[in-house]
Amino acid sequence: MSWLIHVILTLATAAWLLDGPAVSGVVVAERSPAAERPPLVVVRALGAVPSEHLRGACRVVLEEYPVRCVVRASRGMTQVFSAWDRTREQLDARQALDLLFETRSGDAVVELDITAVDLYEAGKPYVFGLASLPDRTALLSLARLDRGAGEARGDGSGEVARARLRTLVLHEFGHALGLTHHDVADCIMRQDPTVASLDSAPSGPCTDCRRVIDDQLVRLARPGQTALDRARGLLVRDRREQARRTLVHALWTYHPDAELLDDFARLFFEAGQYNEAISLLRHTVTQQPQRAVAHVQLGLAYQQRAREGDLARAVGHFEQAVHLRPDWQTVAEHLEHTRAELRAQGPSVR
């Protein structure tokens, strides 16, 4: 069932986005692009890091993408002390990212943390950097960027080290925006596990990856997006009550539009928090009853919550979605299956 739900949500949402905001003759109010500021990227040091590298990382992002970027106060290594492996004399990058979430900049859509210590990930002798996609946070290491093949560690101030840092910043920035590895020769998102391959890396993303990044940056400029990302990180860590409080704060502070409310609802739905998802989606369909994708999501949330009467409520919202969008064949097929399930249950409260 879970894979089918994912397909229905994905197809319905994609169709909504492709068709635009007009549905059955009703036009949904759109946000004014002029009212949105470019998304904020924050660069911070973890431990002692030369300021030129921090400023350089900001310059790299600013030269490539329409964002704001600031360098903020560094964090001490004590914040990630439990991620330090004394035997390896390396920092566990994945564990460190989890710890850094606690003090991550709340207003940044992406945070890049730069450290001078060597990093590793389970199963690998070292990594240049690592990004957390749910948190939109990346951790980058300078430790190997000044090395040539077999050369001893230097101070990392040369042109070669700066070029490597540029490659690493753009690569991990792409990961933080949701891109996975794209192993084609002309893409910055390819895997470059050695210094030699890092030196031959392309200067930027390929056309496909660039399109995804540009689309993501437009979406991430929405008021309330940082709260959505914070709630996602909390739910990933099973901190549900804090995620709920983040949601409530976002509703009062940002007055998010229907699209962001749908995203919040989907986030709580995927975390199994069906009551929260239902509350958000009921608000959406009350305010915008012609929003077919919200009816689909609300029907799925009722179906998964499975309280008395929920299946009948789900059928009602699937019917409304199909009425608004008769071309959504996958939803229509799911409606028929759900009707059959409802008939098998016998009489119920609708």
Side-chain angles (χ1 to χ4, degrees):
M1 177 64 74
S2 61
W3 68 268
L4 179 59
I5 289 171
H6 177 74
V7 168
I8 293 171
L9 278 173
T10 301
L11 291 177
T13 303
W16 171 268
L17 292 174
L18 287 172
D19 289 346
V23 178
S24 299
V26 176
V27 178
V28 178
E30 296 186 57
R31 298 178 304 279
S32 170
E36 296 174 352
R37 301 180 68 190
L40 176 66
V41 177
V42 167
V43 174
R44 301 177 72 177
L46 176 62
V49 174
S51 60
E52 65 181 85
H53 294 309
L54 305 176
R55 293 194 301 270
C58 252
R59 281 196 299 271
V60 167
V61 177
L62 289 170
E63 288 169 359
E64 193 72 24
Y65 300 112
V67 298
R68 294 175 290 140
C69 186
V70 297
V71 176
R72 286 192 175 158
S74 63
R75 290 186 276 196
M77 292 300 297
T78 55
Q79 293 195 31
V80 294
F81 178 77
S82 61
W84 179 253
D85 189 312
R86 294 183 179 180
T87 302
R88 300 177 62 135
E89 294 189 345
Q90 289 176 301
L91 191 68
D92 184 328
R94 192 165 299 279
Q95 187 180 349
L97 281 171
D98 188 51
L99 294 168
L100 292 174
F101 172 77
E102 302 304 324
T103 53
R104 186 193 184 282
S105 300
D107 57 344
V109 296
V110 171
E111 179 167 298
L112 303 176
D113 293 286
I114 301 178
T115 185
V117 303
D118 203 21
L119 305 175
Y120 80 96
E121 184 182 12
K124 298 180 180 179
Y126 68 88
V127 291
F128 294 119
L130 192 68
S132 170
L133 276 64
D135 300 339
R136 301 194 198 283
T137 304
L139 180 60
L140 294 66
S141 173
L142 303 172
R144 296 173 182 265
L145 298 189
D146 62 330
R147 296 183 182 182
E151 293 179 356
R153 185 178 310 202
D155 63 6
S157 60
E159 289 297 326
V160 171
R162 283 192 286 270
R164 292 169 179 171
L165 178 59
R166 181 185 185 279
T167 298
L168 182 56
V169 166
L170 292 179
H171 182 90
E172 297 302 338
F173 183 77
H175 280 321
L177 289 179
L179 290 177
T180 56
H181 283 127
H182 187 202
D183 287 323
V184 296
D186 64 344
C187 187
I188 197 74
M189 296 311 299
R190 73 183 196 182
Q191 298 187 74
D192 289 303
T194 66
V195 170
S197 62
L198 200 63
D199 287 341
S200 66
S203 59
C206 64
T207 301
D208 290 342
C209 288
R210 180 63 189 241
R211 184 182 304 113
V212 172
I213 290 174
D214 288 343
D215 290 344
Q216 275 282 70
L217 289 175
V218 171
R219 189 175 66 83
L220 293 176
R222 301 177 297 179
Q225 178 64 46
T226 53
L228 175 67
D229 291 339
R230 178 70 179 175
R232 180 186 296 108
L234 291 166
L235 287 171
V236 165
R237 293 163 174 84
D238 202 30
R239 289 153 61 174
R240 300 178 181 182
E241 186 54 40
Q242 288 178 269
R244 293 189 191 100
R245 291 199 296 268
T246 300
L247 168 61
V248 171
H249 176 75
L251 294 177
W252 281 99
T253 305
Y254 303 106
H255 306 290
D257 59 17
E259 182 182 341
L260 191 64
L261 286 176
D262 282 353
D263 286 348
F264 261 113
R266 183 166 183 171
L267 177 64
F268 279 91
F269 176 91
E270 291 174 346
Q273 303 299 291
Y274 302 121
N275 289 337
E276 288 76 8
I278 288 169
S279 294
L280 290 165
L281 292 164
R282 286 180 62 181
H283 174 77
T284 299
V285 299
T286 298
Q287 298 299 314
Q288 298 185 9
Q290 288 77 23
R291 189 171 174 82
V293 68
H295 284 287
V296 173
Q297 292 193 68
L298 183 51
L300 291 170
Y302 275 128
Q303 192 169 16
Q304 288 299 296
R305 191 176 71 170
R307 291 183 181 174
E308 183 178 353
D310 277 353
L311 194 59
R313 298 182 185 99
V315 167
H317 286 287
F318 292 145
E319 288 174 342
Q320 183 65 19
V322 172
H323 172 72
L324 293 167
R325 294 302 306 262
D327 56 313
W328 286 3
Q329 187 60 36
T330 303
V331 178
E333 292 172 0
H334 187 70
L335 169 60
E336 291 307 311
H337 287 299
T338 310
R339 281 173 172 163
E341 186 180 351
L342 180 61
R343 288 193 295 269
Q345 280 189 356
S348 62
V349 178
R350 184 160 180 169

